[in-house]
PDB file of all heavy atoms in Angstrom:
ATOM      1  N   PRO A 236       0.791  -1.261  -0.024  1.00 95.00           N
ATOM      2  CA  PRO A 236      -0.002  -0.041  -0.055  1.00 95.00           C
ATOM      3  C   PRO A 236       0.870   1.255  -0.027  1.00 95.00           C
ATOM      4  O   PRO A 236       2.005   1.206   0.250  1.00 95.00           O
ATOM      5  CB  PRO A 236      -0.746  -0.116   1.305  1.00 95.00           C
ATOM      6  CG  PRO A 236       0.232  -0.812   2.255  1.00 95.00           C
ATOM      7  CD  PRO A 236       1.023  -1.779   1.300  1.00 95.00           C
ATOM      8  N   TYR A 237       0.210   2.346  -0.287  1.00 94.00           N
ATOM      9  CA  TYR A 237       0.834   3.641  -0.064  1.00 94.00           C
ATOM     10  C   TYR A 237       0.642   4.143   1.441  1.00 94.00           C
ATOM     11  O   TYR A 237      -0.438   3.888   1.999  1.00 94.00           O
ATOM     12  CB  TYR A 237       0.229   4.708  -0.968  1.00 94.00           C
ATOM     13  CG  TYR A 237       0.743   4.680  -2.422  1.00 94.00           C
ATOM     14  CD1 TYR A 237       0.054   4.051  -3.396  1.00 94.00           C
ATOM     15  CD2 TYR A 237       2.026   5.177  -2.723  1.00 94.00           C
ATOM     16  CE1 TYR A 237       0.566   3.908  -4.721  1.00 94.00           C
ATOM     17  CE2 TYR A 237       2.531   5.111  -4.040  1.00 94.00           C
ATOM     18  CZ  TYR A 237       1.770   4.527  -4.996  1.00 94.00           C
ATOM     19  OH  TYR A 237       2.196   4.376  -6.250  1.00 94.00           O
ATOM     20  N   ALA A 238       1.639   4.718   2.018  1.00 91.00           N
ATOM     21  CA  ALA A 238       1.455   5.383   3.223  1.00 91.00           C
ATOM     22  C   ALA A 238       0.902   6.766   2.959  1.00 91.00           C
ATOM     23  O   ALA A 238       1.309   7.480   2.143  1.00 91.00           O
ATOM     24  CB  ALA A 238       2.884   5.532   3.964  1.00 91.00           C
ATOM     25  N   LEU A 239      -0.075   7.087   3.842  1.00 93.00           N
ATOM     26  CA  LEU A 239      -0.849   8.344   3.633  1.00 93.00           C
ATOM     27  C   LEU A 239      -0.973   9.144   4.951  1.00 93.00           C
ATOM     28  O   LEU A 239      -2.026   9.359   5.379  1.00 93.00           O
ATOM     29  CB  LEU A 239      -2.294   8.048   3.007  1.00 93.00           C
ATOM     30  CG  LEU A 239      -2.279   7.187   1.760  1.00 93.00           C
ATOM     31  CD1 LEU A 239      -3.692   6.699   1.442  1.00 93.00           C
ATOM     32  CD2 LEU A 239      -1.666   7.933   0.608  1.00 93.00           C
ATOM     33  N   PRO A 240       0.136   9.485   5.508  1.00 92.00           N
ATOM     34  CA  PRO A 240       0.061  10.199   6.777  1.00 92.00           C
ATOM     35  C   PRO A 240      -0.421  11.643   6.620  1.00 92.00           C
ATOM     36  O   PRO A 240      -0.203  12.380   5.638  1.00 92.00           O
ATOM     37  CB  PRO A 240       1.568  10.201   7.256  1.00 92.00           C
ATOM     38  CG  PRO A 240       2.359  10.044   6.091  1.00 92.00           C
ATOM     39  CD  PRO A 240       1.575   9.242   5.128  1.00 92.00           C
ATOM     40  N   VAL A 241      -1.012  12.130   7.692  1.00 94.00           N
ATOM     41  CA  VAL A 241      -1.416  13.498   7.775  1.00 94.00           C
ATOM     42  C   VAL A 241      -0.968  14.151   9.132  1.00 94.00           C
ATOM     43  O   VAL A 241      -1.038  13.363  10.123  1.00 94.00           O
ATOM     44  CB  VAL A 241      -3.051  13.638   7.659  1.00 94.00           C
ATOM     45  CG1 VAL A 241      -3.732  12.987   8.821  1.00 94.00           C
ATOM     46  CG2 VAL A 241      -3.433  15.092   7.578  1.00 94.00           C
ATOM     47  N   VAL A 242      -0.459  15.285   9.114  1.00 96.00           N
ATOM     48  CA  VAL A 242       0.158  15.881  10.271  1.00 96.00           C
ATOM     49  C   VAL A 242      -0.447  17.291  10.467  1.00 96.00           C
ATOM     50  O   VAL A 242      -0.437  18.078   9.465  1.00 96.00           O
ATOM     51  CB  VAL A 242       1.641  15.928  10.139  1.00 96.00           C
ATOM     52  CG1 VAL A 242       2.223  16.501  11.501  1.00 96.00           C
ATOM     53  CG2 VAL A 242       2.182  14.607   9.830  1.00 96.00           C
ATOM     54  N   GLN A 243      -0.740  17.698  11.682  1.00 95.00           N
ATOM     55  CA  GLN A 243      -1.222  19.052  11.918  1.00 95.00           C
ATOM     56  C   GLN A 243      -0.201  20.044  11.533  1.00 95.00           C
ATOM     57  O   GLN A 243       1.034  19.839  11.731  1.00 95.00           O
ATOM     58  CB  GLN A 243      -1.504  19.228  13.366  1.00 95.00           C
ATOM     59  CG  GLN A 243      -2.814  18.579  13.913  1.00 95.00           C
ATOM     60  CD  GLN A 243      -3.945  19.513  13.855  1.00 95.00           C
ATOM     61  OE1 GLN A 243      -3.880  20.648  13.372  1.00 95.00           O
ATOM     62  NE2 GLN A 243      -5.089  19.147  14.385  1.00 95.00           N
ATOM     63  N   ARG A 244      -0.606  21.166  10.863  1.00 95.00           N
ATOM     64  CA  ARG A 244       0.332  22.165  10.417  1.00 95.00           C
ATOM     65  C   ARG A 244       1.164  22.850  11.503  1.00 95.00           C
ATOM     66  O   ARG A 244       2.165  23.509  11.166  1.00 95.00           O
ATOM     67  CB  ARG A 244      -0.352  23.181   9.542  1.00 95.00           C
ATOM     68  CG  ARG A 244      -0.562  22.752   8.088  1.00 95.00           C
ATOM     69  CD  ARG A 244      -1.210  23.878   7.328  1.00 95.00           C
ATOM     70  NE  ARG A 244      -1.271  23.586   5.947  1.00 95.00           N
ATOM     71  CZ  ARG A 244      -0.363  23.908   5.012  1.00 95.00           C
ATOM     72  NH1 ARG A 244       0.701  24.557   5.488  1.00 95.00           N
ATOM     73  NH2 ARG A 244      -0.390  23.538   3.786  1.00 95.00           N
ATOM     74  N   ARG A 245       0.736  22.775  12.756  1.00 94.00           N
ATOM     75  CA  ARG A 245       1.480  23.501  13.768  1.00 94.00           C
ATOM     76  C   ARG A 245       2.752  22.914  14.008  1.00 94.00           C
ATOM     77  O   ARG A 245       3.704  23.558  14.705  1.00 94.00           O
ATOM     78  CB  ARG A 245       0.591  23.478  15.047  1.00 94.00           C
ATOM     79  CG  ARG A 245       0.407  22.232  15.740  1.00 94.00           C
ATOM     80  CD  ARG A 245      -0.727  22.401  16.836  1.00 94.00           C
ATOM     81  NE  ARG A 245      -0.858  21.072  17.574  1.00 94.00           N
ATOM     82  CZ  ARG A 245      -0.392  20.830  18.715  1.00 94.00           C
ATOM     83  NH1 ARG A 245       0.288  21.864  19.368  1.00 94.00           N
ATOM     84  NH2 ARG A 245      -0.626  19.730  19.383  1.00 94.00           N
ATOM     85  N   PHE A 246       3.086  21.702  13.540  1.00 96.00           N
ATOM     86  CA  PHE A 246       4.322  21.025  13.767  1.00 96.00           C
ATOM     87  C   PHE A 246       5.333  21.460  12.705  1.00 96.00           C
ATOM     88  O   PHE A 246       5.046  21.312  11.574  1.00 96.00           O
ATOM     89  CB  PHE A 246       4.198  19.469  13.804  1.00 96.00           C
ATOM     90  CG  PHE A 246       3.326  19.041  15.000  1.00 96.00           C
ATOM     91  CD1 PHE A 246       1.973  18.855  14.907  1.00 96.00           C
ATOM     92  CD2 PHE A 246       3.913  18.903  16.277  1.00 96.00           C
ATOM     93  CE1 PHE A 246       1.306  18.486  15.985  1.00 96.00           C
ATOM     94  CE2 PHE A 246       3.212  18.562  17.311  1.00 96.00           C
ATOM     95  CZ  PHE A 246       1.854  18.390  17.232  1.00 96.00           C
ATOM     96  N   GLN A 247       6.489  21.911  13.187  1.00 95.00           N
ATOM     97  CA  GLN A 247       7.503  22.422  12.332  1.00 95.00           C
ATOM     98  C   GLN A 247       8.712  21.456  12.370  1.00 95.00           C
ATOM     99  O   GLN A 247       8.833  20.652  13.297  1.00 95.00           O
ATOM    100  CB  GLN A 247       7.906  23.823  12.777  1.00 95.00           C
ATOM    101  CG  GLN A 247       6.802  24.806  12.918  1.00 95.00           C
ATOM    102  CD  GLN A 247       6.063  25.084  11.663  1.00 95.00           C
ATOM    103  OE1 GLN A 247       6.719  25.387  10.614  1.00 95.00           O
ATOM    104  NE2 GLN A 247       4.727  24.945  11.646  1.00 95.00           N
ATOM    105  N   GLY A 248       9.640  21.687  11.426  1.00 95.00           N
ATOM    106  CA  GLY A 248      10.841  20.864  11.413  1.00 95.00           C
ATOM    107  C   GLY A 248      10.771  19.605  10.635  1.00 95.00           C
ATOM    108  O   GLY A 248      11.654  18.778  10.634  1.00 95.00           O
ATOM    109  N   ILE A 249       9.614  19.326  10.039  1.00 93.00           N
ATOM    110  CA  ILE A 249       9.396  18.062   9.228  1.00 93.00           C
ATOM    111  C   ILE A 249      10.135  18.247   7.940  1.00 93.00           C
ATOM    112  O   ILE A 249       9.889  19.211   7.189  1.00 93.00           O
ATOM    113  CB  ILE A 249       7.906  17.810   8.984  1.00 93.00           C
ATOM    114  CG1 ILE A 249       7.126  17.773  10.295  1.00 93.00           C
ATOM    115  CG2 ILE A 249       7.724  16.553   8.228  1.00 93.00           C
ATOM    116  CD1 ILE A 249       5.651  17.650  10.145  1.00 93.00           C
ATOM    117  N   GLU A 250      11.108  17.271   7.648  1.00 92.00           N
ATOM    118  CA  GLU A 250      11.848  17.371   6.430  1.00 92.00           C
ATOM    119  C   GLU A 250      11.818  16.005   5.705  1.00 92.00           C
ATOM    120  O   GLU A 250      12.575  15.110   6.000  1.00 92.00           O
ATOM    121  CB  GLU A 250      13.315  17.710   6.798  1.00 92.00           C
ATOM    122  CG  GLU A 250      13.480  19.069   7.464  1.00 92.00           C
ATOM    123  CD  GLU A 250      14.868  19.340   7.841  1.00 92.00           C
ATOM    124  OE1 GLU A 250      15.753  18.478   7.708  1.00 92.00           O
ATOM    125  OE2 GLU A 250      15.209  20.474   8.330  1.00 92.00           O
ATOM    126  N   PRO A 251      10.828  15.892   4.815  1.00 89.00           N
ATOM    127  CA  PRO A 251      10.720  14.636   4.068  1.00 89.00           C
ATOM    128  C   PRO A 251      12.033  14.176   3.377  1.00 89.00           C
ATOM    129  O   PRO A 251      12.711  14.993   2.757  1.00 89.00           O
ATOM    130  CB  PRO A 251       9.650  14.898   3.020  1.00 89.00           C
ATOM    131  CG  PRO A 251       8.783  15.987   3.630  1.00 89.00           C
ATOM    132  CD  PRO A 251       9.839  16.797   4.319  1.00 89.00           C
ATOM    133  N   ALA A 252      12.323  12.861   3.473  1.00 87.00           N
ATOM    134  CA  ALA A 252      13.526  12.370   2.970  1.00 87.00           C
ATOM    135  C   ALA A 252      13.348  10.908   2.532  1.00 87.00           C
ATOM    136  O   ALA A 252      12.291  10.415   2.626  1.00 87.00           O
ATOM    137  CB  ALA A 252      14.736  12.525   3.900  1.00 87.00           C
ATOM    138  N   LEU A 253      14.351  10.221   2.103  1.00 84.00           N
ATOM    139  CA  LEU A 253      14.293   8.861   1.727  1.00 84.00           C
ATOM    140  C   LEU A 253      13.758   8.061   2.870  1.00 84.00           C
ATOM    141  O   LEU A 253      13.091   7.047   2.684  1.00 84.00           O
ATOM    142  CB  LEU A 253      15.609   8.323   1.244  1.00 84.00           C
ATOM    143  CG  LEU A 253      16.134   8.970  -0.102  1.00 84.00           C
ATOM    144  CD1 LEU A 253      17.463   8.321  -0.418  1.00 84.00           C
ATOM    145  CD2 LEU A 253      15.118   8.598  -1.214  1.00 84.00           C
ATOM    146  N   ALA A 254      14.146   8.438   4.104  1.00 84.00           N
ATOM    147  CA  ALA A 254      13.723   7.720   5.252  1.00 84.00           C
ATOM    148  C   ALA A 254      12.297   8.016   5.741  1.00 84.00           C
ATOM    149  O   ALA A 254      11.895   7.617   6.802  1.00 84.00           O
ATOM    150  CB  ALA A 254      14.653   8.018   6.406  1.00 84.00           C
ATOM    151  N   GLY A 255      11.619   8.802   4.971  1.00 84.00           N
ATOM    152  CA  GLY A 255      10.186   9.107   5.420  1.00 84.00           C
ATOM    153  C   GLY A 255      10.147  10.526   6.100  1.00 84.00           C
ATOM    154  O   GLY A 255      10.904  11.479   5.652  1.00 84.00           O
ATOM    155  N   ILE A 256       9.392  10.662   7.118  1.00 88.00           N
ATOM    156  CA  ILE A 256       9.273  11.965   7.761  1.00 88.00           C
ATOM    157  C   ILE A 256       9.554  11.813   9.262  1.00 88.00           C
ATOM    158  O   ILE A 256       9.729  12.896   9.900  1.00 88.00           O
ATOM    159  CB  ILE A 256       7.899  12.639   7.586  1.00 88.00           C
ATOM    160  CG1 ILE A 256       6.773  11.748   8.158  1.00 88.00           C
ATOM    161  CG2 ILE A 256       7.679  12.954   6.112  1.00 88.00           C
ATOM    162  CD1 ILE A 256       5.456  12.489   8.089  1.00 88.00           C
ATOM    163  N   MET A 257       9.577  10.689   9.887  1.00 89.00           N
ATOM    164  CA  MET A 257       9.796  10.572  11.267  1.00 89.00           C
ATOM    165  C   MET A 257      11.181  10.387  11.698  1.00 89.00           C
ATOM    166  O   MET A 257      11.527  10.403  12.957  1.00 89.00           O
ATOM    167  CB  MET A 257       8.971   9.378  11.809  1.00 89.00           C
ATOM    168  CG  MET A 257       7.483   9.582  11.861  1.00 89.00           C
ATOM    169  SD  MET A 257       6.923  10.727  13.121  1.00 89.00           S
ATOM    170  CE  MET A 257       7.075   9.782  14.599  1.00 89.00           C
ATOM    171  N   TYR A 258      12.140  10.341  10.832  1.00 91.00           N
ATOM    172  CA  TYR A 258      13.615  10.049  11.128  1.00 91.00           C
ATOM    173  C   TYR A 258      14.104  11.107  12.121  1.00 91.00           C
ATOM    174  O   TYR A 258      15.030  10.911  12.892  1.00 91.00           O
ATOM    175  CB  TYR A 258      14.381   9.850   9.882  1.00 91.00           C
ATOM    176  CG  TYR A 258      14.594  11.173   9.196  1.00 91.00           C
ATOM    177  CD1 TYR A 258      15.690  12.037   9.435  1.00 91.00           C
ATOM    178  CD2 TYR A 258      13.656  11.657   8.221  1.00 91.00           C
ATOM    179  CE1 TYR A 258      15.831  13.241   8.794  1.00 91.00           C
ATOM    180  CE2 TYR A 258      13.817  12.771   7.596  1.00 91.00           C
ATOM    181  CZ  TYR A 258      14.878  13.596   7.892  1.00 91.00           C
ATOM    182  OH  TYR A 258      15.091  14.789   7.216  1.00 91.00           O
ATOM    183  N   ASN A 259      13.657  12.398  11.964  1.00 95.00           N
ATOM    184  CA  ASN A 259      14.170  13.479  12.778  1.00 95.00           C
ATOM    185  C   ASN A 259      13.120  13.975  13.813  1.00 95.00           C
ATOM    186  O   ASN A 259      13.094  15.181  14.109  1.00 95.00           O
ATOM    187  CB  ASN A 259      14.563  14.647  11.919  1.00 95.00           C
ATOM    188  CG  ASN A 259      13.382  15.367  11.209  1.00 95.00           C
ATOM    189  OD1 ASN A 259      12.379  14.779  11.035  1.00 95.00           O
ATOM    190  ND2 ASN A 259      13.586  16.687  10.874  1.00 95.00           N
ATOM    191  N   PHE A 260      12.304  13.064  14.263  1.00 96.00           N
ATOM    192  CA  PHE A 260      11.250  13.461  15.144  1.00 96.00           C
ATOM    193  C   PHE A 260      11.673  14.249  16.391  1.00 96.00           C
ATOM    194  O   PHE A 260      10.931  15.050  16.863  1.00 96.00           O
ATOM    195  CB  PHE A 260      10.467  12.193  15.618  1.00 96.00           C
ATOM    196  CG  PHE A 260       9.279  12.475  16.529  1.00 96.00           C
ATOM    197  CD1 PHE A 260       8.156  13.233  16.139  1.00 96.00           C
ATOM    198  CD2 PHE A 260       9.423  12.067  17.820  1.00 96.00           C
ATOM    199  CE1 PHE A 260       7.190  13.543  17.006  1.00 96.00           C
ATOM    200  CE2 PHE A 260       8.326  12.342  18.745  1.00 96.00           C
ATOM    201  CZ  PHE A 260       7.234  12.981  18.294  1.00 96.00           C
ATOM    202  N   GLU A 261      12.906  13.937  16.755  1.00 95.00           N
ATOM    203  CA  GLU A 261      13.341  14.665  17.982  1.00 95.00           C
ATOM    204  C   GLU A 261      13.507  16.158  17.785  1.00 95.00           C
ATOM    205  O   GLU A 261      13.569  16.938  18.766  1.00 95.00           O
ATOM    206  CB  GLU A 261      14.783  14.075  18.423  1.00 95.00           C
ATOM    207  CG  GLU A 261      14.809  12.642  18.719  1.00 95.00           C
ATOM    208  CD  GLU A 261      16.169  12.094  18.590  1.00 95.00           C
ATOM    209  OE1 GLU A 261      17.226  12.831  18.845  1.00 95.00           O
ATOM    210  OE2 GLU A 261      16.314  10.863  18.245  1.00 95.00           O
ATOM    211  N   LYS A 262      13.577  16.561  16.525  1.00 96.00           N
ATOM    212  CA  LYS A 262      13.821  17.902  16.114  1.00 96.00           C
ATOM    213  C   LYS A 262      12.492  18.614  15.759  1.00 96.00           C
ATOM    214  O   LYS A 262      12.510  19.796  15.385  1.00 96.00           O
ATOM    215  CB  LYS A 262      14.859  18.114  15.094  1.00 96.00           C
ATOM    216  CG  LYS A 262      16.248  17.619  15.555  1.00 96.00           C
ATOM    217  CD  LYS A 262      17.292  17.806  14.582  1.00 96.00           C
ATOM    218  CE  LYS A 262      18.666  17.346  15.122  1.00 96.00           C
ATOM    219  NZ  LYS A 262      19.724  17.577  14.061  1.00 96.00           N
ATOM    220  N   TRP A 263      11.393  17.869  15.656  1.00 97.00           N
ATOM    221  CA  TRP A 263      10.070  18.597  15.451  1.00 97.00           C
ATOM    222  C   TRP A 263       9.838  19.560  16.565  1.00 97.00           C
ATOM    223  O   TRP A 263      10.224  19.371  17.701  1.00 97.00           O
ATOM    224  CB  TRP A 263       8.978  17.558  15.361  1.00 97.00           C
ATOM    225  CG  TRP A 263       8.946  16.670  14.145  1.00 97.00           C
ATOM    226  CD1 TRP A 263      10.020  16.364  13.279  1.00 97.00           C
ATOM    227  CD2 TRP A 263       7.798  15.967  13.704  1.00 97.00           C
ATOM    228  NE1 TRP A 263       9.537  15.539  12.343  1.00 97.00           N
ATOM    229  CE2 TRP A 263       8.227  15.222  12.560  1.00 97.00           C
ATOM    230  CE3 TRP A 263       6.544  15.748  14.131  1.00 97.00           C
ATOM    231  CZ2 TRP A 263       7.363  14.440  11.814  1.00 97.00           C
ATOM    232  CZ3 TRP A 263       5.596  14.989  13.435  1.00 97.00           C
ATOM    233  CH2 TRP A 263       6.106  14.307  12.285  1.00 97.00           C
ATOM    234  N   TRP A 264       9.138  20.571  16.263  1.00 97.00           N
ATOM    235  CA  TRP A 264       8.833  21.637  17.268  1.00 97.00           C
ATOM    236  C   TRP A 264       7.496  22.295  16.988  1.00 97.00           C
ATOM    237  O   TRP A 264       6.913  22.199  15.851  1.00 97.00           O
ATOM    238  CB  TRP A 264       9.963  22.628  17.432  1.00 97.00           C
ATOM    239  CG  TRP A 264      10.291  23.361  16.228  1.00 97.00           C
ATOM    240  CD1 TRP A 264      11.043  22.965  15.152  1.00 97.00           C
ATOM    241  CD2 TRP A 264       9.915  24.718  15.892  1.00 97.00           C
ATOM    242  NE1 TRP A 264      11.178  23.955  14.134  1.00 97.00           N
ATOM    243  CE2 TRP A 264      10.409  25.084  14.604  1.00 97.00           C
ATOM    244  CE3 TRP A 264       9.084  25.654  16.514  1.00 97.00           C
ATOM    245  CZ2 TRP A 264      10.230  26.276  14.021  1.00 97.00           C
ATOM    246  CZ3 TRP A 264       8.932  26.874  15.890  1.00 97.00           C
ATOM    247  CH2 TRP A 264       9.498  27.171  14.652  1.00 97.00           C
ATOM    248  N   ILE A 265       6.996  22.918  17.952  1.00 96.00           N
ATOM    249  CA  ILE A 265       5.685  23.675  17.895  1.00 96.00           C
ATOM    250  C   ILE A 265       5.925  25.153  18.243  1.00 96.00           C
ATOM    251  O   ILE A 265       6.543  25.425  19.367  1.00 96.00           O
ATOM    252  CB  ILE A 265       4.685  23.064  18.830  1.00 96.00           C
ATOM    253  CG1 ILE A 265       4.633  21.502  18.716  1.00 96.00           C
ATOM    254  CG2 ILE A 265       3.311  23.607  18.572  1.00 96.00           C
ATOM    255  CD1 ILE A 265       3.958  20.824  19.822  1.00 96.00           C
ATOM    256  N   PRO A 266       5.512  26.056  17.483  1.00 95.00           N
ATOM    257  CA  PRO A 266       5.565  27.505  17.896  1.00 95.00           C
ATOM    258  C   PRO A 266       4.866  27.711  19.263  1.00 95.00           C
ATOM    259  O   PRO A 266       3.821  27.086  19.506  1.00 95.00           O
ATOM    260  CB  PRO A 266       4.847  28.237  16.814  1.00 95.00           C
ATOM    261  CG  PRO A 266       5.008  27.329  15.618  1.00 95.00           C
ATOM    262  CD  PRO A 266       4.998  25.959  16.171  1.00 95.00           C
ATOM    263  N   LYS A 267       5.425  28.558  20.093  1.00 93.00           N
ATOM    264  CA  LYS A 267       4.943  28.780  21.417  1.00 93.00           C
ATOM    265  C   LYS A 267       3.445  29.067  21.393  1.00 93.00           C
ATOM    266  O   LYS A 267       2.646  28.549  22.326  1.00 93.00           O
ATOM    267  CB  LYS A 267       5.722  29.940  22.060  1.00 93.00           C
ATOM    268  CG  LYS A 267       7.060  29.553  22.574  1.00 93.00           C
ATOM    269  CD  LYS A 267       6.972  28.671  23.851  1.00 93.00           C
ATOM    270  CE  LYS A 267       8.431  28.398  24.393  1.00 93.00           C
ATOM    271  NZ  LYS A 267       8.314  27.480  25.510  1.00 93.00           N
TER     272      LYS A 267
END
């Protein structure tokens, strides 16, 4: 199947890459 994730726009730092989008989850952040 295709992966079809959806993420709230308030989350920043998402950088899609060959590894998907969760590989850098530790660096995701939310504006105050």
Side-chain angles (χ1 to χ4, degrees):
Y237 282 99
L239 306 170
V241 63
V242 186
Q243 284 268 5
R244 277 184 171 270
R245 67 195 184 98
F246 293 95
Q247 308 296 311
I249 302 173
E250 299 179 355
L253 293 178
I256 61 174
M257 287 288 285
Y258 71 92
N259 70 335
F260 178 66
E261 301 160 32
K262 296 182 179 179
W263 287 21
W264 57 280
I265 312 166
K267 282 290 185 183

